C-alpha cells in the first residue's frame, strides 16, 4: 500500500500522532505550487456536505513578500480523478484566502508547531511533512484560536504536490465591505462631493486589478482613515467626523509632505475621480 | 463570430487543438505585422491573443480602461518608488489605446546599437529598417495632424514652444478622417484611428490568418531543441494547444514575452533583464480661455528640440475623469476647480531613461522591478522645468508641477528655473508612469548578452522567434510603434525564409 493510501485509511488518532511527529516544511518549497487536497478522517455524512477533494495554493505576493494562498473548489469527480476546478465566469472558484506563517509566537495546541501554519485568522491549519525533506506530501489539521483558547477539530487533510500555480484570482485581496465604506467616505471628501452609485466601480476594481492592488489600496484607505486620530483637532477616524470636519481634515492632509501620505492621497484622488465620473456614464 | 476573430476563448470550455505553420502570441503592432507578412507570403497563421475584440467603446474612461487595459491600468513596477506601467490587452494590443503618434527609429539610436554590437550593421542594415518603416507608414496612413481638428491644447503647445524657440511640429498620426474626439487612449469610437485591428490584422485575416481571442498562452513547448507548440488556457477555462509546423513567434510585449520564455523554462541568457522604458511625467496649467483638454486630436503636437537630451514633450489628451485627477487641490478647493475643468491643459514629457529593470514571472504574474538613476532624475527635473515654462509661455495663469518638496503653484519663469536647480532628486517625489517598454529578450550576436540572434531566433531553440520590443537593444527616446512594426516585419522575413 502506498503512503498516500495508508494515510487515507488511518484513524484520527493516528493522524494526530503524525502531526505531532511531523517534519518541517520550507515555505520556499511550497511557493508557486498548487497542491491537491483530500479531507481525511471525516465521517461520511460530513464528507458529503463538504469537499472531499480540493486544491490549496501557495503564492508569494510580489508587493509584500508574504506567502499567501487560497482554496480552489474542485468538481467532485472522485478520489483519484484528475483535478477539475469548478468555474464561474471562466475563472476557478476560490474560497478561504490565507497567509502561510511560521508557528513561532502563534498560540497553538501543544506539539502543533513542527511545520508551518496556514492562517485564516481564527481558523488555523498546522502543516507538516510526513517524511523528512519531502515537501510533496503534507499533512494538515485545523484548530480554532479563540482568544486564549485553542480548540482542536477533527478535520485532517492530505496535500499532494500537483502542478505549478496557473491562476492567481484577481481581487483575491480586495477590500472588505466596511473598508469600502471607509473608502467611499474618503473619496467623497477628496472630491468634495457625494459619489454616484459605486457598485460597478467596485466590481471592476475587484475583478480587473492585479493581486497587489487590493493590499496597496487597503493600506492607503487605512492610513488616510486613521491618520485623523493622531491630529489634535480631529482625534477620530475620518468616517466618524462630520462632513465639514472631513473636508477640513482632507485639506490638511493635502499639505502633508510625507511620501506615504502624498502617494496614498494621490491614489485616492484618481480612484475618487473615476468613481465621480462613473455617474456620467450613459 | 466577428469578421476578425475566428475563435473567442469566452466560448471555449473544452480542450481546443489547432495547427498552423506560424503561431503568433500577441496581436499588437508586433504580432499583427508578423501575421500580415506571413499570411501575404502564403503561410498558414494562427494569432493567439489574451484580450478581446475592442468595442463598442464606453464613454466612461474607467469602463474603457477596464475593458482595454491590462489590470485596469494598475500594473506597477517596484523600486524606490512604485511606478505604474500601462499596456493594452485587446485584439490589436496596445495600438487600440495608444496615442497614434508615429516616429521612425532615429539614426543616432541605431548607431548606438551598432556601436554595442557591430554584427548588427550587416544583419539589420539601417536602410532595411527604414524601408520597412516606410511601408508601415504607408499602410497606416501616417500624416501630420490637421490643424482643423487639433484643438486648443495642441495649438497652445505650439505657441509655447514657438515663444521659447524650441523646435516643435504637429504630431504625425496614423488616422484617417479623425474628428478630434480626443479619445484615442480609450479606444477610437469612430474607427478613425488606424490601429492594427483596423489594418494589419484584417489584411492578415483576408489572406487566411486566424485570430483566436481570449486565450492566454502559458508555455512554449519545445522538442529536441525546437519550438513545436504553444499551450494555453481559454477565458472559459478550456485548455488550448496549437502546434506550429514552422515557427512560434512571441509578440506579447516586453513584459509578457520574457515571462513566457521563463515560464517555458527558457531562462538562459538575460531573459527578463535589461528592461528599458520612457518614464513619462506631466504638468497641468490653468488658462483663462477654454482649452477643452479632452477634445481635439488626442495627442496632436510635440516639441522635438530636446530629443537628443532624452526629453520629448507631447500634448496629452485625457478622458475627463483622468483630467479631473490632475486638477489641483482636494475637498472644497477641488470641487471649485472642477467647475473650470475645461480650462486646464496637461502636457507630458517622455524621458529616455538609462535605468534598467527586470521582469520575472511569479505565479504567472509579472513582477517588474525598475529604479531610475540619478541622471534620469536630473532629466526628470529638467523636464518639469521645460513643461512649466512651456505652459507659462503659452499663456497659462498658473502651473502645477505635482512635485513633492516644490511649490504647488508656479506663476513665473524664475520659479520654473528653481525647479530644475533645486528640485528633488528622489524618485518618490515625481508622479511618473511608463508606456514604452523595451529590451527584455534582446537581440544580438553574443548569446551571453542576448536572448535571440540577429535573425530574431532564440539562441537555443530553433523555430522560436521574438518579434516585439523585447528584442530592442535599448530604448529609442521616441514613440516606438513604427520601429516595432518595422523590426517585426524583418523578423517575419526571416520566418518566411526559414
Ligand atoms: C497609453 C499608451 C499610449 C501609447 N501611445 C503611443 C503612441 O502614440 N505612439 C507609439 O509609437 N507608441 C505608443 N505607445 C506604445 C505602443 O503602443 C507599444 O509600444 C506597442 O503597442 C507595443 O507593441 P507590441 O506588439 O510589442 O505589444 P502590445 O501592443 O502590448 O501587444 C501585445 C499583445 O499581446 C497580448 N498578450 C500578452 N501576453 C499574452 C499571452 N500570454 N497570451 C496571449 N496574448 C498575450 C496582450 O494582451 C497584447 O494585446 C503607447 C502605449 C500606451 C500604453
Ligand atoms: S482623436 Fe478621436 S476620432 Fe481622432 S483618432 Fe483619436 S479617438 Fe479617433
Amino acid at each position: 500500500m502506498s503512503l498516500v493510501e495508508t494515510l487515507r485509511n488511518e484513524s484520527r488518532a493516528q493522524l494526530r500522532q503524525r502531526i505531532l511527529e511531523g517534519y518541517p516544511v520550507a515555505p520556499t518549497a511550497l511557493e508557486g505550487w498548487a497542491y491537491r487536497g483530500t479531507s481525511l478522517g471525516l465521517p461520511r455524512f460530513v464528507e458529503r456536505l463538504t469537499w472531499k477533494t480540493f486544491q490549496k495554493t501557495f503564492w508569494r505576493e510580489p508587493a509584500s513578500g508574504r506567502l499567501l494562498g487560497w482554496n480552489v473548489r474542485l468538481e467532485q469527480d472522485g478520489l483519484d480523478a484528475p483535478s477539475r476546478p469548478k468555474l464561474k465566469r471562466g475563472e476557478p472558484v476560490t474560497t478561504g484566502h490565507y497567509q502561510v506563517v511560521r508557528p513561532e509566537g502563534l498560540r497553538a495546541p501543544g506539539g502543533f508547531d513542527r511545520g508551518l501554519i496556514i492562517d485564516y485568522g481564527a481558523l488555523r491549519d498546522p502543516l507538516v511533512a510526513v517524511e523528512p525533506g519531502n515537501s510533496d506530501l503534507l499533512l494538515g489539521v485545523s484548530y480554532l484560536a479563540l482568544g486564549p483558547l485553542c480548540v482542536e477539530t477533527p478535520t485532517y487533510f492530505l496535500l499532494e504536490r500537483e502542478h505549478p500555480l496557473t491562476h492567481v484570482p484577481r481581487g483575491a485581496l480586495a477590500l472588505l465591505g466596511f473598508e469600502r465604506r471607509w473608502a467611499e467616505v474618503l473619496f467623497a471628501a477628496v472630491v468634495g462631493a457625494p459619489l454616484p452609485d459605486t457598485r460597478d466601480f467596485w466590481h471592476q476594481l475587484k475583478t480587473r486589478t492585479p493581486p497587489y492592488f487590493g493590499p496597496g489600496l487597503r493600506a492607503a484607505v487605512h492610513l488616510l482613515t486613521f491618520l485623523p486620530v493622531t491630529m489634535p483637532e480631529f482625534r477620530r477616524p475620518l468616517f466618524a467626523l462630520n462632513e465639514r470636519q472631513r473636508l477640513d481634515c482632507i485639506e490638511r492632509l493635502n499639505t502633508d509632505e510625507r511620501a506615504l501620505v502624498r502617494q496614498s492621497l494621490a491614489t485616492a484622488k484618481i480612484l475618487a475621480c473615476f468613481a465621480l465620473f462613473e455617474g456620467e456614464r450613459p | 463570430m466577428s469578421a476578425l476573430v475566428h475563435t473567442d476563448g469566452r466560448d471555449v470550455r473544452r480542450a481546443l487543438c489547432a495547427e498552423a505553420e506560424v503561431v503568433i502570441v500577441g496581436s499588437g503592432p508586433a504580432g499583427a505585422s508578423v501575421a500580415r507578412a506571413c499570411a501575404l507570403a502564403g503561410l498558414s497563421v494562427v494569432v493567439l491573443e489574451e484580450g478581446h475584440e475592442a468595442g463598442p467603446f464606453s464613454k466612461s474612461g474607467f469602463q474603457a480602461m477596464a475593458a482595454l487595459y491590462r489590470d485596469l491600468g494598475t500594473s506597477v513596477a517596484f523600486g524606490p518608488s512604485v511606478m505604474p506601467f500601462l499596456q493594452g490587452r485587446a485584439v490589436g494590443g496596445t495600438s487600440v489605446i495608444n496615442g497614434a503618434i508615429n516616429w521612425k527609429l532615429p539614426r543616432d539610436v541605431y548607431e548606438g546599437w551598432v556601436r554595442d554590437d557591430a554584427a548588427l550593421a550587416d544583419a539589420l542594415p539601417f536602410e532595411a529598417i527604414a524601408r520597412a518603416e516606410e511601408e508601415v507608414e504607408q499602410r497606416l496612413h501616417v500624416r501630420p495632424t490637421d490643424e482643423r481638428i487639433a484643438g486648443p491644447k495642441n495649438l497652445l503647445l505650439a505657441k509655447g514652444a514657438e515663444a521659447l524657440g524650441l523646435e516643435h511640429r504637429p504630431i504625425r498620426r496614423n488616422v484617417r478622417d479623425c474628428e478630434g474626439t480626443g479619445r484615442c487612449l480609450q479606444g477610437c469610437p469612430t474607427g478613425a484611428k488606424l490601429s492594427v485591428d483596423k489594418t494589419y490584422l484584417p489584411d492578415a485575416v483576408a489572406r487566411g490568418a486566424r485570430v483566436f481571442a481570449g486565450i492566454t498562452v502559458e508555455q512554449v513547448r519545445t522538442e529536441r531543441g525546437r519550438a513545436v507548440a504553444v499551450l494555453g488556457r481559454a477565458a472559459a477555462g478550456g485548455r488550448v494547444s496549437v502546434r506550429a509546423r514552422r515557427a512560434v513567434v512571441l509578440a506579447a510585449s516586453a513584459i509578457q514575452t520574457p515571462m513566457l520564455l521563463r515560464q517555458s523554462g527558457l531562462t538562459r541568457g538575460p531573459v527578463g533583464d535589461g528592461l528599458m522604458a520612457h518614464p513619462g511625467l506631466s504638468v497641468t496649467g490653468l488658462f483663462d480661455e477654454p482649452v477643452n483638454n479632452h477634445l481635439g486630436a488626442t495627442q496632436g503636437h510635440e516639441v522635438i528640440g530636446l530629443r537628443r537630451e532624452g526629453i520629448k514633450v507631447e500634448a496629452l489628451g485625457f478622458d475627463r475623469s483622468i483630467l479631473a485627477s490632475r486638477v489641483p487641490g482636494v475637498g472644497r478647493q477641488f470641487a471649485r476647480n472642477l467647475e473650470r475643468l475645461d480650462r486646464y491643459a496637461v502636457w507630458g514629457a517622455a524621458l529616455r531613461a538609462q535605468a534598467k529593470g527586470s521582469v520575472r514571472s511569479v505565479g504567472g504574474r509579472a513582477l517588474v522591478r525598475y529604479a531610475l538613476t540619478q541622471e534620469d532624475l536630473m532629466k526628470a527635473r529638467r523636464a518639469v522645468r521645460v513643461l512649466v515654462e512651456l505652459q507659462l509661455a503659452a499663456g497659462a495663469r498658473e502651473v502645477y508641477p505635482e512635485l513633492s518638496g516644490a511649490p504647488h503653484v508656479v506663476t513665473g519663469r524664475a520659479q520654473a528655473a528653481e525647479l530644475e536647480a533645486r528640485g528633488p532628486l528622489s524618485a518618490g517625489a515625481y508622479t511618473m508612469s511608463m508606456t514604452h517598454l523595451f529590451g527584455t529578450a534582446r537581440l544580438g550576436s553574443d548569446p551571453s548578452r542576448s536572448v535571440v540572434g540577429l535573425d530574431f531566433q532564440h539562441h537555443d531553440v530553433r523555430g522560436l522567434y521574438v518579434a516585439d520590443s523585447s528584442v530592442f537593444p535599448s530604448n529609442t527616446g521616441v514613440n516606438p510603434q513604427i520601429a516595432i512594426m518595422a523590426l517585426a516585419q524583418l523578423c517575419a522575413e526571416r520566418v518566411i525564409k526559414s
Side-chain angles (χ1 to χ4, degrees), chain B residues 26 29-30 49-50 70 86 90 93-94 98-101 217 468 479-481:
Chain B
E49 167 56 51
E50 187 175 5
R70 184 172 291 277
L86 299 168
T94 306
N98 79 13
I101 304 173
V217 174
D468 57 42
N479 316 69
Q481 69 174 343

Side-chain angles (χ1 to χ4, degrees), chain A residues 159-219:
Chain A
L159 293 185
E160 295 167 80
R161 192 187 293 278
E162 194 164 30
H163 58 70
L165 207 53
T166 50
H167 170 258
V168 177
R170 285 161 179 274
L173 307 145
L175 298 197
L176 302 170
F178 66 91
E179 290 171 315
R180 280 190 198 176
R181 285 191 288 281
W182 294 351
E184 285 178 8
V185 167
L186 169 66
F187 293 173
V190 167
V191 294
L195 300 179
D197 184 349
T198 53
R199 270 171 301 184
D200 190 49
F201 168 80
W202 286 114
H203 174 71
Q204 298 286 7
L205 273 191
K206 181 173 159 193
T207 52
R208 304 262 178 185
T209 51
Y212 50 71
F213 182 80
L217 178 57
R218 171 173 290 127

Side-chain angles (χ1 to χ4, degrees), chain B residues 234-406:
Chain B
R239 305 294 316 181
V240 177
S241 154
V242 186
R243 276 198 87 75
R245 290 199 298 273
R246 181 187 291 243
V248 169
V249 182
L250 299 185
S253 87
I255 302 293
Q256 281 76 34
T257 286
M259 286 174 63
L260 268 174
L261 288 169
R262 297 192 78 90
Q263 283 164 213
S264 310
L266 301 172
T267 53
R268 206 194 51 72
V271 187
D273 292 338
L275 171 72
M276 296 194 85
H278 298 151
L281 47 81
S282 63
V283 161
T284 307
L286 174 66
F287 287 79
D288 288 328
E289 69 269 30
V291 178
N292 286 322
N293 196 88
H294 63 292
L295 295 176
T298 308
Q299 297 198 262
H301 209 86
E302 61 190 351
V303 176
I304 58 177
L306 303 169
R307 184 186 69 78
R308 277 172 188 272
E309 277 186 47
I311 298 174
K312 196 180 156 271
V313 173
E314 296 158 1
L316 293 175
F318 290 132
D319 174 76
R320 280 158 55 83
S321 54
I322 302 176
L323 178 61
S325 69
R326 307 296 167 101
V327 163
V330 293
R332 286 164 288 227
Q333 194 200 359
F334 174 85
R336 272 194 306 278
N337 288 338
L338 200 59
E339 284 168 20
R340 46 187 192 189
L341 188 62
D342 60 340
R343 294 208 274 122
Y344 291 96
V346 190
W347 299 335
L351 309 179
R352 188 173 186 208
Q354 291 182 335
K356 287 190 176 168
S358 66
V359 179
R360 292 291 181 270
S361 174
V362 179
R365 294 204 59 89
L367 171 57
V368 179
R369 293 202 181 85
Y370 189 79
L372 293 172
T373 65
Q374 274 295 293
E375 205 167 308
D376 295 336
L377 289 163
M378 287 169 76
K379 211 175 270 180
R381 218 161 63 159
R382 171 141 177 74
V384 172
R385 174 192 178 167
V386 170
L387 286 167
V388 171
E389 287 186 339
L390 280 164
Q391 295 263 12
L392 292 171
R397 190 207 300 177
E398 290 181 351
V399 186
Y400 316 102
E402 282 190 52
L403 205 55
S404 81

Side-chain angles (χ1 to χ4, degrees), chain B residues 25-32 48-51 69-70 85-95 97-103 174 185 215-218 251-254 256-257 260 263 299 314 434-438 467-470 478-482 484:
Chain B
V25 184
S27 68
L48 295 156
E49 167 56 51
E50 187 175 5
Y69 281 64
R70 184 172 291 277
F85 63 89
L86 299 168
Q87 293 188 285
R89 183 175 167 274
V91 173
T94 306
S95 76
I97 49 99
N98 79 13
I101 304 173
N102 294 282
W103 270 76
N174 51 310
L185 304 186
I215 286 170
T216 306
V217 174
E218 292 166 346
S253 87
Q256 281 76 34
T257 286
L260 268 174
Q263 283 164 213
Q299 297 198 262
E314 296 158 1
M434 301 187 277
T435 50
H436 307 155
L437 307 158
F438 311 87
D468 57 42
S469 55
S470 312
V478 296
N479 316 69
Q481 69 174 343
I482 293 292
I484 291 174

Side-chain angles (χ1 to χ4, degrees), chain A residues 226-245:
Chain A
F226 290 102
L227 213 51
V229 177
T230 66
M231 298 157 80
E233 62 273 53
F234 302 112
R235 287 228 173 90
R236 283 182 191 177
L238 194 69
F239 58 77
L241 302 175
N242 68 33
E243 207 175 311
R244 191 182 48 76
Q245 288 171 321

Side-chain angles (χ1 to χ4, degrees), chain B residues 173 175 177-184 187-193 296-298:
Chain B
R173 302 171 74 228
V175 299
D177 302 327
C178 167
E179 296 169 22
T181 64
R183 296 195 63 82
C184 293
C188 175
T190 69
K193 184 168 79 173
T298 308

